[in-house]
Amino acid sequence: MCRVIGVSGTPGVGKSFVARKLSEKLNGLYIDLSSKVIEERLYQEYDISRESYVADPDKVNSYIKKICSENMGRYIIVDSHYAEIIDPAYIHRIFVLRADPETLVKRLCSRGWSREKILENLEAELLGVCLYNALEEQDPFKICEIYEKDLDRAVERILSILEGKEKCEIYYIDWLNILEKESPVELIERICSSQKNLS
C-alpha cells in the first residue's frame, strides 16, 4: 500500500512549500488536493460565499485509491487544508502546520485577499480548526502539530518524525493570548494597510 502524508493547516501556514519540499526529500508524489478537486471534478458544489469548491469525500477517496494503486510503496504527499477527509486506511501521518497570527496575516494580505476572507482564515487558525477537524476524522496517534517560523526547519522536523528520531505530538497551540492588546480585525487592518502603503 502507498503511504499518504497529509500536510494540513489554515491557508497561509506554508503547506505548499513544506509539502513540495517533503515530496522532493522523500522522492514522493506531490498532490495539491484543492487543484485536483477542480481538475478532476471531485467536488459537490461551488460555495459562492466562500469562493471555493466543496470537495466530495467519496470522489476524493476514489481518486486517492487510484493514485495509491499506481504508486505502491511510495509516499504520496497531499497538500490540503482538508486532508482529514482521506480514508484513514491510507493515512500514514497528518502534519498540521501552525502559523502565528502576525505571520499568517502578512502572508494572506500579500495575496491580495479581501479583509473578510483573511479574517475567516485568521479565526480558523486562532481556533485550531484544521487540527480539530483532523482529530475528529483520523487516528490521533497519526496527527502531529508543527510550528516553526522557518519552513525549512518544519520540513526537517517532519522528516525527523517520519524517521522516528522525534516524537509526533499535539500541542494545542493557543494564539489568543498574543491578541490581548489587539483584536483580529485591528491586526488585519494594521498589517494590510502597512503593506499597501509599501507597495
Side-chain angles (χ1 to χ4, degrees), residues 7 10 29 86 95 110 115 135 185 187:
V7 180
T10 309
L29 176 66
I86 296 170
F95 293 95
S110 69
R115 302 287 206 272
L135 287 168
V185 172
L187 175 69

Side-chain angles (χ1 to χ4, degrees), residues 19-80:
R20 287 179 190 279
K21 283 274 189 179
L22 272 180
S23 64
E24 288 172 19
K25 300 264 187 183
L26 296 169
N27 191 29
L29 176 66
Y30 170 82
I31 295 176
D32 175 345
L33 191 55
S34 294
S35 294
K36 289 297 176 188
V37 162
I38 297 167
E39 289 168 18
E40 305 288 333
R41 299 182 182 272
L42 311 176
Y43 51 81
Q44 297 171 340
E45 62 183 353
Y46 183 76
D47 185 334
I48 296 171
S49 64
R50 293 192 172 185
E51 300 174 9
S52 64
Y53 287 90
V54 178
D56 183 319
D58 292 334
K59 291 178 182 176
V60 167
N61 280 300
S62 294
Y63 173 76
I64 293 294
K65 184 178 181 180
K66 174 179 172 287
I67 294 298
C68 277
S69 68
E70 296 167 356
N71 293 275
M72 298 298 280
R74 193 175 182 200
Y75 280 113
I76 310 295
I77 316 299
V78 176
D79 167 3
S80 173

